């Protein structure tokens, strides 16, 4: 097998294929016993020319003391990475301090560029380029994977995707940089300190998507502090006086609007500095899981799979939508069982009136909180399967449909019981008790899954590493083979979806029923402080290094948070209108009360939308830079047209 790999290496026909400094960036692990003809075909497609449907990358087998394993290291020449940077549309800083899309022809105009500077592209950017090229390896004339007749192929099918689903390809992951990881770990979570996270360093190592999540987590935690500080005296001194909560609820509504609008500005500042604000996504290539008949994209003219949008819509409305509705019905059914248990606990407490019976009042809420977490996780897997089956062309479309499915179910599952208690049972005491129990229980469960469990995994990882090493070495002393074998057994980070979902539900607990339980923000702050350190530990020590993913914002989550803030306006207005003090102001006509509450609600919503309109999404200096770039692009286009006419 080694001889065949040598022949492939010698046959590279790329311009600078003779480059001797091979830098391993990505690891490919094939299943044990993979047939040699399969390996030869796959590696040939990786190193073959782009014109022949290859990726034009470099690949070498990992040689260990036991010989050649089915593990391969993928890299790329410096020239190939630069051309790949142009293909994916990376944006870099120019010598005049402006941000522009990188092109190989104008490479000399970019800051810190030199032909011998291999650090011009970060390691995360290089790994992203390689991932992009591997994912876009698609079958042309192959009917099956060589050596595996049952693994069918058709023109346009993603080769990597088929290898994964067939079990031939075990995993693909980017390698850690041990030295850079050690520096980042020390500055990020290695010491407890009061200060900001090293977001630029996180971005350079893990990419913009993960850096933006930690930026939002840090920002949201600081934004919760005013709510927590104001909520403590309201909790201590004015528990039952609902009229005194009007100011607190109003502050909550304005607070939720301001923090989301300010975050847009901060997000624009970060992503402009990182270059992703300018990245063009309108010609995004198909996601690896997308399948269809090979055809021509009418916009780009590129050859790619084509799938009928009518079939996709039928799958969405005839299968996915009924399934989601069925799950929502089941969630409501479980909620009604919870209220039966709640009534049983109340009756039991009335009959016994003991300390034990008083504690039993919290048992139904605790059980329900645990059941909610279990149902959310089971539904998540079903939603992922359905969204993948719908066959969305773009990764952004796939994520939007998945997030929509999960958010609808999680919102109903987590908040339906609270709305029922508040607006059907009209039991504010039970609402306060249920809200506190659901919030605290969910945070305890999440901390167990995200703090204690990662700590245990880290200990197990250290023990396994020491056992496998023949001599005492530090992480920096690990050989390449040892490092790869250690990292391939680490867990896989599944993305920021669950992390944003947790913050979204937390935001709902804080904003929806603020006038009932002002301490919600206090518990959220305490939870998020530990969340920052536990998530940092997971990223650096527990999980494999994830591939970097450029992003210009937190995506559809911004809309989700804004929708939650609108719902909180309605909820808080109705809760205030239901208070005895406000109700006493309208003794003769309840219709006047309803109209007054509706008027106040519309007024607050109007103020909210005016504030959202007045506060610009991007700072003025960034707006000017973007306008300048657009003007220069138009001028360059005019010059090209004039030259063409001549």
């Amino acid at each position: 097998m080694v001889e065949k790999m040598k022949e492939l290496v010698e046959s590279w026909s790329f311009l600078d294929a003779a480059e001797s400094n091979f830098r391993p960036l990505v690891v490919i692990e094939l299943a044990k016993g993979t047939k040699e003809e399969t390996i030869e075909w796959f590696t040939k497609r990786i190193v073959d020319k782009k014109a022949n449907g290859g990726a034009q990358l470099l690949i070498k087998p990992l040689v260990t003391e036991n010989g050649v394993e089915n593990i391969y290291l993928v890299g790329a020449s410096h020239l190939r990475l630069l051309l790949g940077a142009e293909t994916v549309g990376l944006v870099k800083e120019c010598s005049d301090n402006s941000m522009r899309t990188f092109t190989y022809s104008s490479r000399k105009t970019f800051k810190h560029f030199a032909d011998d500077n291999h650090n011009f592209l970060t390691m995360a950017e290089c790994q992203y380029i390689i991932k992009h090229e591997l994912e876009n390896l698609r079958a042309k004339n192959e009917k099956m994977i060589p050596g595996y007749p049952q693994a069918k192929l058709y023109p346009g099918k993603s080769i990597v995707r088929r290898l994964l689903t067939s079990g031939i390809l075990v995993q693909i992951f980017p390698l850690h940089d041990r030295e850079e990881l050690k520096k980042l770990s020390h500055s990020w979570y290695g010491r407890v300190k009061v200060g900001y996270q090293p977001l630029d360093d996180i971005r350079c190592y893990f990419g913009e998507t993960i850096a933006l999540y930690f930026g939002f987590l840090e920002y949201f935690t600081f934004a919760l502090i005013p709510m927590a500080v104001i909520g403590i005296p309201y909790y201590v001194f004015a528990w039952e006086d609902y009229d005194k909560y009007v100011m607190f609820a109003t502050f909550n509504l304005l607070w939720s609007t301001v923090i989301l609008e300010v975050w847009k500005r901060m997000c624009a500042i970060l992503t402009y500095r990182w270059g992703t604000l300018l990245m063009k996504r309108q010609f995004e290539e198909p996601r690896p899981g997308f399948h269809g008949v090979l055809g021509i994209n009418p916009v780009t003219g590129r050859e790619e799979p084509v799938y009928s949008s009518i079939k996709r819509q039928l799958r969405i409305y005839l299968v996915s939508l009924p399934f989601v509705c069925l799950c929502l019905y089941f969630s409501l059914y479980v909620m009604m069982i919870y209220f039966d248990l709640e009534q049983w606990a109340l009756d039991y407490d009335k009959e016994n009136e003991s300390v034990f019976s008083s504690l039993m009042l919290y048992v139904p809420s605790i059980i329900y909180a645990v059941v909610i977490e279990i149902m959310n996780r089971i539904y998540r897997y079903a939603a992922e399967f359905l969204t993948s089956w719908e066959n969305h062309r773009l990764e952004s479309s796939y994520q939007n449909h998945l997030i929509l499915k999960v958010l609808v179910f999680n919102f109903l599952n987590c908040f339906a019981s609270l709305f029922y208690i508040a607006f059907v049972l009209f039991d504010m005491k039970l609402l306060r008790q249920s809200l506190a129990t659901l919030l605290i229980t969910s945070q305890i469960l999440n901390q167990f899954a995200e703090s204690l469990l990662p700590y245990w995994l880290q200990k197990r990882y250290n023990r396994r590493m020491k056992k496998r090493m023949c001599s005492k070495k530090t992480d920096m002393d690990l050989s390449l083979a040892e490092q790869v074998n250690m990292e391939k057994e680490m867990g896989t980070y599944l993305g920021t979806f669950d992390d944003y979902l947790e913050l979204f539900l937390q935001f709902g607990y804080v904003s929806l029923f603020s006038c009932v339980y002002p301490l919600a923000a206090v518990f959220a702050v305490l939870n998020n402080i530990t969340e920052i350190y536990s998530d940092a530990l997971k990223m650096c020590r527990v999980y494999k290094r994830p591939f970097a993913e450029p992003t210009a914002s937190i995506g559809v989550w911004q809309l989700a948070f804004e929708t939650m803030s609108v719902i909180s306006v309605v909820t808080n207005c109705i809760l205030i209108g239901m208070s005895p003090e406000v109700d006493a102001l309208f003794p003769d006509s309840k219709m006047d009360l309803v109209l007054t509450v509706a008027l106040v609600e519309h007024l607050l919503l109007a103020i909210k939308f005016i504030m959202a309109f007045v506060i610009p999404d991007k700072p003025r200096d960034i707006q000017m830079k973007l306008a300048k770039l657009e003007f220069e692009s138009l001028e360059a286009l005019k010059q090209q047209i004039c030259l063409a006419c001549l």
Side-chain angles (χ1 to χ4, degrees):
M1 195 63 224
V2 176
E3 287 75 12
K4 290 186 178 181
M5 287 301 303
K6 287 181 178 178
E7 291 176 4
L8 284 173
V9 172
E10 291 172 357
S11 66
W12 288 335
S13 55
F14 194 48
L15 291 175
D16 56 347
E19 182 172 321
S20 58
N21 296 325
F22 176 80
R23 183 191 185 191
L25 294 170
V26 174
V27 177
I28 294 178
E29 181 184 4
L30 299 175
K32 292 183 179 179
T34 302
K35 297 181 180 180
E36 290 192 7
E37 59 180 307
T38 307
I39 298 175
E40 184 178 359
W41 167 76
F42 184 44
T43 51
K44 186 177 186 302
R45 290 297 300 270
I46 291 176
V47 302
D48 210 354
K49 291 183 178 181
K50 293 282 288 183
N52 298 332
Q56 277 185 248
L57 301 175
L58 310 178
I59 185 169
K60 289 184 179 181
L62 180 69
V63 181
T64 64
E65 295 177 356
N66 301 324
V68 179
E69 300 182 1
N70 281 346
I71 298 177
Y72 296 86
L73 305 176
V74 181
S77 65
H78 183 51
L79 175 59
R80 179 69 184 88
L81 290 172
L82 292 176
L83 295 175
E86 180 176 348
T87 301
V88 299
L90 289 185
V91 175
K92 307 292 286 185
E93 187 177 5
C94 292
S95 301
D96 60 357
N97 297 324
S98 63
M99 304 296 294
R100 299 176 188 277
T101 303
F102 177 81
T103 57
Y104 185 75
S105 59
S106 61
R107 59 191 182 280
K108 300 292 185 180
T109 62
F110 289 87
K111 185 178 289 187
H112 306 306
F113 179 85
D115 290 327
D116 58 348
N117 180 18
H118 290 199
N119 294 322
F120 174 71
L121 299 176
T122 66
M123 188 176 183
E125 290 172 338
C126 295
Q127 291 167 335
Y128 169 69
I129 293 169
I130 290 179
K131 170 178 175 283
H132 174 270
E133 297 298 341
L134 290 175
E135 286 182 344
N136 282 281
L137 281 175
R138 298 189 178 272
K140 287 193 171 292
N141 300 318
E142 299 94 338
K143 302 295 182 182
M144 64 177 185
I145 294 176
Y148 295 88
Q150 73 279 8
K152 302 297 182 182
L153 284 175
Y154 54 84
K157 177 65 179 177
S158 170
I159 293 175
V160 170
R161 181 78 174 183
R162 173 56 73 199
L163 289 171
L164 284 169
T165 56
S166 301
I168 302 170
L169 178 59
V170 177
Q171 58 181 334
I172 299 178
F173 62 91
L175 269 176
H176 273 295
D177 185 321
R178 311 301 295 183
E179 184 178 355
E180 291 299 322
L181 182 62
K182 186 176 181 180
K183 294 178 182 177
L184 177 61
S185 300
H186 179 72
S187 63
W188 194 4
Y189 71 90
R191 51 197 174 93
V192 178
K193 64 183 186 306
V194 178
Y196 296 106
Q197 298 177 95
L199 294 180
D200 289 331
D201 295 336
I202 297 172
R203 173 255 169 180
C204 287
Y205 194 84
F206 288 110
E208 292 78 13
T209 297
I210 291 176
L212 211 54
Y213 160 70
F214 280 99
F216 181 74
L217 174 59
E218 179 181 81
Y219 170 79
F220 184 54
T221 303
F222 278 107
L224 282 167
I225 292 177
M227 287 291 295
V229 171
I230 296 176
I232 293 175
Y234 270 94
Y235 177 84
V236 174
F237 300 112
W239 184 249
E240 298 295 342
D241 297 332
Y242 285 97
D243 58 329
K244 296 182 180 179
Y245 284 90
V246 175
M247 184 178 296
F248 180 74
T250 304
F251 175 78
N252 185 336
L253 303 176
L254 299 178
W255 165 84
S256 63
T257 302
V258 171
I259 66 166
L260 293 176
E261 292 302 317
V262 173
W263 165 250
K264 287 182 184 179
R265 295 171 62 85
M266 291 189 61
C267 183
I269 294 173
L270 287 174
T271 53
Y272 179 82
R273 187 168 75 232
W274 296 341
T276 54
L277 187 63
L278 300 173
M279 287 188 71
K280 304 298 183 183
R281 309 296 288 181
Q282 62 265 38
F283 303 132
E284 188 178 350
E285 296 192 17
R287 51 187 292 268
F290 177 66
H291 58 84
V293 180
L294 193 64
I296 302 297
N297 187 313
V299 178
T300 63
R302 297 173 183 170
E303 193 176 46
E304 63 180 44
V306 177
Y307 186 79
S308 172
S309 60
I310 297 177
K311 292 182 180 179
R312 183 182 302 113
Q313 297 300 321
L314 289 175
R315 291 186 175 191
I316 292 173
Y317 292 109
L318 297 183
V319 179
S320 297
L321 184 59
F323 176 80
V324 172
C325 293
L326 181 64
C327 291
L328 295 178
Y329 172 79
F330 180 74
S331 175
L332 293 175
Y333 181 77
V334 172
M335 182 190 73
M336 299 312 298
I337 295 176
Y338 155 67
F339 284 116
D340 291 339
L341 291 175
E342 195 73 55
Q343 187 60 47
W344 171 83
L346 290 171
D347 296 339
Y348 181 81
D349 183 57
K350 288 181 181 179
E351 292 177 2
N352 296 273
E353 294 184 352
S354 62
V355 177
F356 177 76
S357 64
S358 299
L359 294 175
M360 287 297 293
L361 292 174
Y362 294 92
V363 172
S365 296
I366 295 174
I367 295 175
Y368 185 51
V370 174
V371 171
I372 284 176
E373 291 296 323
I374 295 174
M375 290 172 61
N376 286 342
R377 294 183 185 276
I378 294 175
Y379 176 81
R380 166 73 184 277
Y381 292 118
E384 287 179 344
F385 173 80
L386 276 177
T387 310
S388 179
W389 178 71
E390 290 167 4
N391 195 27
H392 295 278
R393 176 183 176 271
L394 303 181
E395 183 65 29
S396 56
S397 177
Y398 170 84
Q399 290 295 334
N400 289 343
H401 280 80
L402 176 61
I403 291 172
L404 180 61
K405 289 186 183 71
V406 176
L407 281 186
V408 169
F409 182 80
N410 277 262
F411 181 84
L412 185 71
N413 207 21
C414 295
F415 300 113
S417 61
L418 301 178
F419 282 106
Y420 186 83
I421 294 171
F423 305 128
V424 177
L425 301 181
F426 304 106
D427 191 338
M428 295 300 109
K429 184 178 180 181
L430 179 59
L431 176 62
R432 186 184 313 128
Q433 172 188 312
S434 298
L435 176 59
T437 306
L438 288 174
L439 175 63
I440 296 172
T441 304
S442 64
Q443 289 186 347
I444 291 175
L445 292 174
N446 286 324
Q447 283 301 318
F448 172 78
E450 298 184 7
S451 296
L452 298 179
L453 185 59
Y455 178 78
W456 177 77
L457 290 173
Q458 167 65 14
K459 289 293 184 182
R460 191 182 69 168
Y461 168 73
N462 287 339
R463 286 196 301 268
R464 186 168 62 244
M465 183 175 67
K466 291 178 180 178
K467 184 183 295 184
R468 292 199 172 197
M469 291 173 60
C470 299
S471 59
K472 293 183 179 180
K473 301 177 182 178
T474 63
D475 288 349
M476 294 294 295
D477 297 325
L478 287 174
S479 68
L480 178 61
E482 288 173 330
Q483 178 185 347
V484 171
N485 279 291
M486 291 299 132
E487 290 186 17
K488 74 183 182 67
E489 295 183 4
M490 298 171 72
T492 301
Y493 182 66
L494 299 177
T496 57
F497 185 97
D498 289 327
D499 299 315
Y500 277 119
L501 180 60
E502 182 183 346
L503 292 179
F504 171 78
L505 296 177
Q506 184 186 96
F507 181 69
Y509 285 126
V510 172
S511 61
L512 288 178
F513 304 99
S514 58
C515 59
V516 175
Y517 193 61
L519 283 184
V522 177
F523 287 108
V525 170
L526 296 176
N527 175 80
N528 289 355
I529 291 174
T530 59
E531 185 87 7
I532 291 174
Y533 287 96
S534 63
D535 284 353
L537 171 67
K538 289 188 305 183
M539 297 303 306
C540 294
R541 303 295 297 174
V542 176
Y543 291 131
K544 298 182 187 72
R545 183 179 187 173
F547 281 104
E549 286 292 341
T551 185
S553 67
I554 61 175
V556 73
W557 290 106
Q558 180 78 33
L559 177 61
F561 277 88
E562 291 174 352
T563 303
M564 181 69 81
S565 68
V566 172
I567 297 174
S568 70
V569 173
V570 181
T571 302
N572 282 280
C573 287
I574 296 176
L575 286 174
I576 293 172
M578 289 168 51
S579 66
E581 291 80 1
V582 176
D583 186 66
L585 298 176
F586 301 90
D588 300 327
S589 175
K590 300 303 178 186
M591 182 57 67
D592 292 341
L593 173 60
V594 173
L595 293 175
T596 302
V597 170
L599 178 63
V600 173
E601 171 212 326
H602 281 66
L603 180 62
L604 289 174
L605 283 175
I607 295 174
K608 177 181 177 64
F609 290 126
I610 290 173
M611 290 177 61
F613 177 77
V614 170
I615 302 176
D617 294 345
K618 300 180 183 68
R620 181 165 179 78
D621 61 329
I622 291 182
Q623 291 181 21
M624 296 297 294
K625 291 176 181 178
L626 294 177
K628 181 180 178 181
L629 286 176
E630 184 176 359
F631 173 76
E632 291 176 354
S633 298
L634 290 174
E635 289 297 312
L637 181 61
K638 289 179 182 178
Q639 292 179 5
Q640 290 179 2
I641 295 174
C642 291
L643 290 174
C645 293
L646 294 175

